[in-house]
Structure formats: structure tokens, C-alpha cells
Amino acid sequence: WGHKWGYKDSRFILNDDRTVRMLGNRYELCGIDMPDFIPYVEEMLEVKIDPEDMLQQNKDMPVNPPNLNNQFVEKIKKTFPDDRYTFADDDRLIHSHGQTTSDEVYKILYSRIDTNVDMVFYLESEKDASQLIQMAEKYDVCLIPFGGGTSVSNALQIPKNENRMIVAIDTRRMDTIEWINEKDRRVCVQAGITGTRLEELLEEKGFTVGHEPDSIELSTLGGWIATNASGMKKNRYGNIEDIVENITMITPKGDINQVKPLTRASIGMKPQNLLFGSEGNFGIITKAILKIHKIPEIQKFNSAVFPDWKTGVDFMYELSHTNFIPASARLVDNVQFRFGQTLKVRPQGFDKLIEDIKKFMVLNVKGFDPYQMVAATFKMEGSREEVDYQEKNIARLTKKHGGLVGGAENGKRGYMLTFAIAYVRDFLTDYNVIGETMETSVPWSKIHQVCEAATKRLFDLHEQHEIPGRPYMSYRIPQIYHTGVCIYFMLGMSVKGVNNAADLFSSMEHSIRDAIMENGGSISHHHGVGKLRKDFMSNTLSPASIDLLKQIKQSHDPNNIFGIRNNVFTD
């Protein structure tokens, strides 16, 4: 793990025969040669992927020397062991950015980021947190909580106008379960734990939390709360605000929590609700109490294909009104569907015969257009009776909408593909292709309008700036709700020969977000606001609402010790 996404042993490479392979053994895609990957990219972007013409990454990452508050540093050295803090350049740099493509990853790999933290502190207890905050208050030092580093909203970007010493507080050593109450189905967990470790520890006891964001391997419980996160299986387990029963945050004024978890209570306004989406502005989240569930008896995948996007959306709309919604139900557009087909080996022998029969059934018998058809993937969890019931009704609803059931293998591939998308981004960036993801929540009535507006804005801007090739835009619906859906966009383009490519792409992304909101979309579904979407807050909250938040910040952190300046606090 470093400045790019994910693990160092997992990455895509281009073979001499122009097939693509993913190294490592962590993912379903690892170890296979994919001959259709590069032809697909070249077709969609109308550019040539040339291994002789690659962007050269920085060999030595530029980093500013630390701006040290000597009194604070001396106090730290007297209070804590040497392994609790570091001033090393590489550690400081890694803790100075998240995973936003244009403003963070692209710049740190190929140019430089403007500002960085001056020290990294590794948190190991709530006592540490209280002591650190007291020292920061006394010596006027800025503190920035840091979890898994997976933010894609510039939330970890260091404010340019911060002149104080800046300390990143890495929480990942606080990664244990403090207690489990199996009878009440609750667990108390330290906030630095990653999703994967949390699930591994709970699995030993026969339980699960069920929260599964795309970043589950790397992101932390504290980060989920701070961004108001969502997971792929929210239909069964809920979003993070449905899972968490109590939160402890340590602030300059003391601890914020409910004293004990409450099943449900009318106690007036709940201060802990302000901690969801707090984005590092108020304090350090140290632990939370979560709901847990018995590991389901059955976990099963399935899939379906439909003739076009509109039909697929109609299917999802009717599914949302039923009582058999799977733990995860997702719909991908044709562009993403075709991309998924490139991430596999080309079948040979008997496998090829079976694949040809499947294609014949879809394209000839059903008459589906390969450049229009879309796919839905499902993950079903529960008792055997529950899963059988869901599967039977999904088949019935698929038939009603003129689709075909695609089976478990395609469903699993579609589901697991999610974990590899960011690696694809980093692979293509070296070949002068810049890409990003965007998400929004949209009412059912605005889905088509928002998709069309976002696509049009991208293509218009691409033409306006005379960027080479053709832009890439695809979208999927990963979450469905009673009143609407989450739409997840993937966009990209070749920037070979484009001056200030990162800044230009960032401005285009901002404009696309504007188009999304103009046509009925929200500022974000689960990525958060950070600094990337700060300009849209006045269209999201009333002036009095923003003022209320600022007054709470002023009263609880009057010296702005937690000075990351995200969301409405960017000014």
C-alpha cells in the first residue's frame, strides 16, 4: 500500500502480446490473461495504448520540510514512546492525501501536492487521543484524523492556508473488538479497524455486521461514520447510520456519546447524529457500538440481462416495491456490461461452445442488441427458504420485463469486479488516461434525465477543450430505495498532450456535478463532501442550517484544532 489504491502486490500489467493481467492472488481477476481489455479501451476512447509512451512517475516524491512547533514536539517526545510518532518524509506524504484522482493521486505521482502534514501520530487508546488534543490546544497545533486513506472527496487534502504545525492522527492501531453481546446482538469496536479485519474477527464468533463498501479492505469504521457511508449489502443490513447504535468522539470539549447504546429512544435531539458525515471537523472518533447478525445460512449470487437501460431501470423500480429485495441488487449500463466482458479469458474448447450457445440465446433468440443490453447482478443472503424465495421471484420479475436470468457465475463476477475498479484506474493512468468515479442519489423520476445530462456535459466539455479521442462515460445503479436510487458514474479520457491535465479534469468533474444537481441529483450518496463538493453546499442546506453547524463548531472547537476544513467549514 502506498500512494496508489490498494495493495502493492495487486496491480494490472500489460503483457508483450497486449493482453492484460492482474498480479497477485487477492481477487477473482488475478492470474488470468485478458486479451479483450486493451482493444475495448482503444475502441471506447479512440486512442492507441502505447507501452512506449507512458507517463513517468516521480522517483522521489517531492515533500515539504516539516513545519515544527518545537514546544509541542518536545512535549510529545516526553509523553509518548518513539514508535508512536514519526517525522519521516514518506510517512508524512502518505498521510497528506486521499484517493481523489485529479487533485491528489495524479499530482503526487506525476508532479507534486502543495502541502503535507508535518508529523504522523499513531493512536493506540482514547487516553492518547485526550492527551494529544490537550497538547494541541495548549500549543496551537492542527490535528487531522486519518483512517484508511480511501477518501475520494479531497477530504484529506491539507488546507493551503494552514500555517500551524499539522499532525495526522493515524487510527489504525485501534483495531480491536472491545466486547460482544451475543444476546443483544451488539459489538463495541475501536474505530481504526478496517472492514475486512472486522468481518474476520466477527466470523470467528459466527457473526457479521454486513457493511460492505467497495473499500472494505482498506477503509475504517471511523471513516465510514465520518463520511456517512453506504455498503453494497445495505438492502439487508442498512447503511452505516442504520448499523451504528452509539459513537464515541473525543473533542477539545470532552467526549461525545450517549453513555450507552439505545435500541430506540425518544430522548430529544441526539448529538451523535451530527457525527455521521462530520469529516474530521469536530474530533477523533475512537469507537462505536454496532448491530451484528448471525452469518447467513446461504449466500448466493445471480444475474439477469435486459434488452436496454430503460427496461433494466423499470425492472429495478418494480423490484424496489417487492418484499424479496436481495442483500445487493445492482444494474450496469451497456458500456459497463461490455467492459465486464473484457475482464476474462477468451474461452476455448468446450467452454467456448457453451459461451457461443449463451450468446446465441441472448442475441438471436431474444433479439438483444449487444450495444444496448444491460445486466443486473444480485447477492442473496439468509436462510435457504429466504434465498429460494428471492431467486424464484427475481426469475419471475425478470421474465415479466423481457429479460434472461444469467446465473450465479456472472452474478459473482459482477459483484467482485467492484473491488478491482480502482486498480484499473491506476493502471490506465500510466498510459495517459485519467479516470474518476462520481455518485449521487436521484429520485426514480429523474434517473434518465440525470444520466443524459451528465453524459452530455462530459462530451460537450471534451469537445470544447479539444481533448484528443473520445470521452468515456458509464453508469450503474448500485443501491435502490423507496423513493429513488444511487447512480454511480465512471468517467475517463485520454489526456496525452493536454496541458495541466489534472486541473482541467478536475474542473470538468465539477461542471458535471453541477449538471447532475441541476437535473435532480444530490451532492453525494456516500462519498461525502470534503473539499471537492464544498461549492454545492449552499444548494443543499439552508443558510440557517449552515450557520447552526458553524456555531456548533465554534462552541466545541473554538481554536479550530481540527482544522481540516471540510464541508461547510472550508472558509
Side-chain angles (χ1 to χ4, degrees), residues 324-327 380-381 386-394:
F324 53 86
I325 303 175
M380 299 163 286
E381 296 189 358
E386 285 180 292
V387 171
D388 287 347
Y389 179 78
Q390 291 176 18
E391 196 162 40
K392 179 181 69 174
N393 283 286
I394 286 171

Side-chain angles (χ1 to χ4, degrees), residues 175-318:
D175 66 346
T176 62
I177 290 176
E178 295 194 353
W179 52 259
I180 295 178
N181 184 328
E182 296 188 14
K183 178 69 173 178
D184 295 336
R185 290 176 291 189
R186 285 183 175 129
V187 62
C188 182
V189 190
Q190 293 179 342
I193 198 166
T194 62
T196 298
R197 176 167 168 79
L198 173 60
E199 288 298 322
E200 287 172 350
L201 293 176
L202 287 175
E203 186 178 3
E204 294 174 3
K205 302 288 186 178
F207 289 97
T208 180
V209 164
H211 184 68
E212 198 168 283
D214 298 359
S215 60
I216 186 171
E217 301 161 293
L218 309 166
S219 57
T220 62
L221 170 59
W224 300 343
I225 295 169
T227 55
N228 206 26
S230 178
M232 291 190 285
K233 298 190 292 189
K234 75 91 191 165
N235 295 336
R236 184 172 181 87
Y237 302 102
N239 289 317
I240 195 63
E241 67 271 22
D242 306 306
I243 294 168
V244 173
E245 281 198 330
N246 199 5
I247 305 167
T248 296
M249 174 187 277
I250 301 180
T251 77
K253 293 292 186 180
D255 299 357
I256 298 177
N257 58 41
Q258 288 177 175
V259 180
K260 62 181 180 180
L262 300 170
T263 300
R264 202 275 175 184
S266 180
I267 58 171
M269 291 182 286
K270 296 167 69 175
Q272 84 157 20
N273 287 349
L274 288 171
L275 307 186
F276 292 105
S278 52
E279 296 190 328
N281 289 302
F282 291 102
I284 305 170
I285 297 170
T286 56
K287 66 185 176 187
I289 296 174
L290 316 175
K291 301 173 187 175
I292 55 176
H293 308 260
K294 280 285 187 182
I295 292 176
E297 176 188 357
I298 299 291
Q299 299 184 52
K300 193 172 183 179
F301 294 94
N302 207 340
S303 61
V305 291
F306 299 95
D308 52 46
W309 176 252
K310 182 181 181 306
T311 305
V313 171
D314 290 344
F315 165 86
M316 296 290 275
Y317 180 67
E318 188 164 350

Side-chain angles (χ1 to χ4, degrees), residues 376-427:
T377 59
F378 313 103
K379 187 174 186 183
M380 299 163 286
E381 296 189 358
S383 67
R384 186 171 300 278
E385 290 79 10
E386 285 180 292
V387 171
D388 287 347
Y389 179 78
Q390 291 176 18
E391 196 162 40
K392 179 181 69 174
N393 283 286
I394 286 171
R396 177 183 57 81
L397 199 57
T398 298
K399 183 178 179 181
K400 178 180 176 181
H401 286 270
L404 280 174
V405 173
E409 182 182 348
N410 288 326
K412 184 178 182 181
R413 283 187 59 83
Y415 189 87
M416 302 307 291
L417 173 62
T418 300
F419 301 114
I421 291 298
Y423 291 100
V424 172
R425 175 200 70 174
D426 289 342
F427 166 65

Side-chain angles (χ1 to χ4, degrees), residues 402-469:
L404 280 174
V405 173
E409 182 182 348
N410 288 326
K412 184 178 182 181
R413 283 187 59 83
Y415 189 87
M416 302 307 291
L417 173 62
T418 300
F419 301 114
I421 291 298
Y423 291 100
V424 172
R425 175 200 70 174
D426 289 342
F427 166 65
L428 289 175
T429 304
D430 285 340
Y431 296 94
N432 296 284
V433 176
I434 191 168
E436 187 58 282
T437 60
M438 303 172 65
E439 38 66 71
T440 184
S441 53
V442 181
W444 286 103
S445 60
K446 302 285 188 179
I447 293 174
H448 300 298
Q449 182 177 331
V450 165
C451 291
E452 290 165 6
T455 303
K456 184 177 187 303
R457 182 65 58 88
L458 172 62
F459 276 73
D460 287 349
L461 289 169
H462 191 272
E463 181 179 2
Q464 175 186 325
H465 291 288
E466 299 181 340
I467 300 171

Side-chain angles (χ1 to χ4, degrees), residues 47-48 50 53 431-433 467-468 493-499 501:
V47 296
K48 188 74 173 175
D50 184 359
D53 184 15
Y431 296 94
N432 296 284
V433 176
I467 300 171
M493 63 189 68
S494 171
V495 289
K496 182 179 178 180
V498 176
N499 295 325

